[in-house]
Amino acid sequence: MKRILPGFGLSLGFTMLYMSFIVFIPLAALIVFTVYNGWETFWNALHDPRVYAAFRLSFTASFIAALINGVFGVLIAWVMVRYTFPGKRIMDGMIDLPFALPTAVAGIALTSLYTESGWIGSLLAPLGIQVAFTPIGVTIALTFIGLPFVVRMVEPVLKTIDKETEEASALLGATPFQTFRTVIFPVLIPALLAGMTLAFARALGEYGSVVFIAGNMPMQTEIVPLLIMTKLEQFDYGGATAIAVVMLTLSFALLLSVNALQWLISRKLGQRRIT
Amino acid sequence: MKKILFPLLSLGVLAACNTTSSSGSTVELLNVSYDPTRELYTDVDDAFIAYWEEETGETIKINASHGGSGSQARSVLDGLDADVVTLALAYDIDVLQERELLDSDWQSQFDDNSSPYTSTINFLVRKGNPKDIQDWDDLIREDVEVVTPNPKTSGGARWNYLAAWGFAEEAYGSEEEAQAFVSDIYKNVVALDSGARGATTSFVERNIGDVLLAWENEAILAANELGEDEFDIVTPSISILTEPPVAIVDKVVDRKGTRDVAEAYLEFLYTDEGQRLIAEHHYRPRNEEILSEYSDSFPELELFTIDEKFGSWQEAQEKHFADGGIFDTIYQP
């Protein structure tokens, strides 16, 4: 059979070349740079309570943001797939706005809303909840930029689930919750995980929107990308690369393990269907 | 053979066109500067272009690049072809000098430490000064919230920090007390924005804090243009003389053959015309006579320089802002 695309050799060669220029070489440069700077620079840059605090904040806030997006992303996708209502097209377009908007603009807007004198902040302040310049503010900014990932990953999968399956489940006597738990949710899991992982990964590297709402207080609300910027601003290229490399390694390990988890889940689901 | 020759030939022709057009008659200068000088250099550039045409008959073009002082220095380090740099602090230019982009005596190349204009750090407060903030020691009061950018990411913020330190050394005498004083100020800081403009926005637009530590030119700009009748400027009893330096990037001008124009451009800042433009953009001109013409907008106060109090920018950077320096200890638990 004649393939539409040129042969495997050529396609793979081009893929490798393209990936090299766009991904591999820049990332390899990071690692080469770190090695070149020596272990001492690497160690000194990381052996700092501020760096630990920033890693803790970046990872927990990104994780919580991904969880929130997981829950509400599925809800939004559900509404978008199952119902028609006036303005649906517009809402559909708006879901992608966090992708299009310069993140600094989003950050400034969120900060204005959530400070004590802002529209939302002034409602929360009497309850003793301060959002801007706290880890909560960081989490909100990260939730904002991650939302489209979950919605866009889950939507097409939801579309594939026929109403008939649910009706069949109901006819067999399942409660709505049982139907959701055993019929719909398992099919969604791989897409949901993928969406949440993307949202999480995006949140880890996010800089623009967070620096405005975070307040950037050392030990409290500094995110890792800000620390990298801080090092660069002091012309400490070695320190900046050291932090970047750790970030990269941790993220890559996380992405890999989520992939593995996805594979396990879909295998398990596949087996259960056969039996 | 033909197939290969044609593209090669056309490449050659293209390359030839390229070189002829770039060595054409207009000389281009690139001035890499920091953020709050945008408006100043727009006017200076226009004036200088007219001046240069009158002097030599040559038409020149000046390109400007603005951004945070540190990131601008980094762009030049990484190969941005700047003929001149006009940055917020000498440390950023020292870094360029370390990489041998310019000569080691750059700071004596032009008058007044190569800083044609100066400014100082003062306080921007809300109209009527409701918290009655008069001097540096009001900033450590418990009911006062301070806004200043992060010295780690903003060159301007380092001047703020050093100004407070200098005051405390004068007022209390010892270094330990200065350190305690400065930490007390930073305990009152509600948000450490990453840059000076960000801090101004926090204070002016978002109503955060009671006092903004700001460059005088930035404070005047905010008070006049961002919110008329919403802010007052408080001048402390003593502050730092901020000297934003200018320099020629020797390596670049020698390669491009633009040294004459670049030198004339920076010297133009010291002429009467240049100094007046500087005063109109709220920087303090070096020329005493012109400064006194504008004395209404520049109140007198006691000023100390970096070199007097801290030795040099290099030493100040090493001791206070480097990792593990005094600023870091403020936030250690």
Side-chain angles (χ1 to χ4, degrees), chain A residues 50 215-216 231-233 237, chain B residues 74 153 192 321 323 328 331:
Chain A
R50 262 179 87 195
N216 307 327
K231 301 266 180 205
L232 286 178
E233 213 62 25
Y237 288 71
Chain B
R74 229 165 33 244
T153 48
L192 281 175
F321 308 117
D323 283 338
D328 276 354
Y331 283 99

Side-chain angles (χ1 to χ4, degrees), chain B residues 227-260:
Chain B
E228 233 179 309
D229 282 337
E230 281 181 51
F231 307 100
D232 284 340
I233 295 171
V234 172
T235 309
S237 61
I238 178 171
S239 191
I240 199 163
L241 181 74
T242 56
E243 298 180 286
V246 300
I248 287 181
V249 185
D250 295 298
K251 255 211 172 130
V252 176
V253 291
D254 286 344
R255 179 162 44 78
K256 286 166 67 176
T258 46
R259 181 177 285 277
D260 291 349

Side-chain angles (χ1 to χ4, degrees), chain B residues 61-94:
Chain B
K61 187 165 181 274
I62 300 173
N63 299 311
S65 154
H66 296 275
S69 186
S71 7
Q72 292 294 78
R74 229 165 33 244
S75 311
V76 177
L77 266 189
D78 293 341
L80 181 64
D81 266 343
D83 299 275
V84 297
V85 282
T86 53
L87 297 176
L89 34 100
Y91 179 72
D92 288 334
I93 300 183
D94 283 337

Side-chain angles (χ1 to χ4, degrees), chain B residues 119-157:
Chain B
S119 191
T120 184
I121 304 299
N122 57 23
F123 310 150
L124 192 68
V125 297
R126 313 249 170 239
K127 188 77 194 167
N129 198 355
K131 290 273 169 97
D132 191 32
I133 292 159
Q134 299 299 342
D135 208 341
W136 289 100
D137 38 13
D138 289 311
L139 303 184
I140 61 170
R141 273 170 23 204
E142 257 175 31
D143 61 328
V144 171
E145 289 185 336
V146 181
V147 177
T148 174
N150 189 337
K152 289 278 201 169
T153 48
S154 154

Side-chain angles (χ1 to χ4, degrees), chain A residues 48-50 108 111-112 115 117 133 207 211-212 215-219 222 226 229-237, chain B residues 70-71 73-74 77-78 91-92 95 150 152-153 158 189 191-194 206-208 321-323 328 331-333:
Chain A
D48 176 356
R50 262 179 87 195
I108 291 175
T111 315
S112 319
T115 51
S117 53
F133 317 127
Y207 176 78
V211 285
F212 293 99
N216 307 327
M217 308 295 277
M219 304 300 296
E222 275 184 330
L226 178 80
M229 285 304 285
T230 305
K231 301 266 180 205
L232 286 178
E233 213 62 25
Q234 298 169 75
F235 307 101
D236 180 5
Y237 288 71
Chain B
S71 7
R74 229 165 33 244
L77 266 189
D78 293 341
Y91 179 72
D92 288 334
V95 173
N150 189 337
K152 289 278 201 169
T153 48
R158 278 175 228 162
V189 170
L192 281 175
D193 281 284
S194 56
R206 276 182 231 130
N207 275 319
I208 292 161
F321 308 117
D323 283 338
D328 276 354
Y331 283 99
Q332 296 298 350

Side-chain angles (χ1 to χ4, degrees), chain B residues 38-54:
Chain B
R38 200 179 304 265
E39 296 83 6
L40 168 65
Y41 279 109
T42 313
D43 286 0
V44 167
D45 292 353
D46 288 346
F48 179 72
I49 289 167
Y51 163 86
W52 189 252
E53 190 158 18
E54 203 172 294

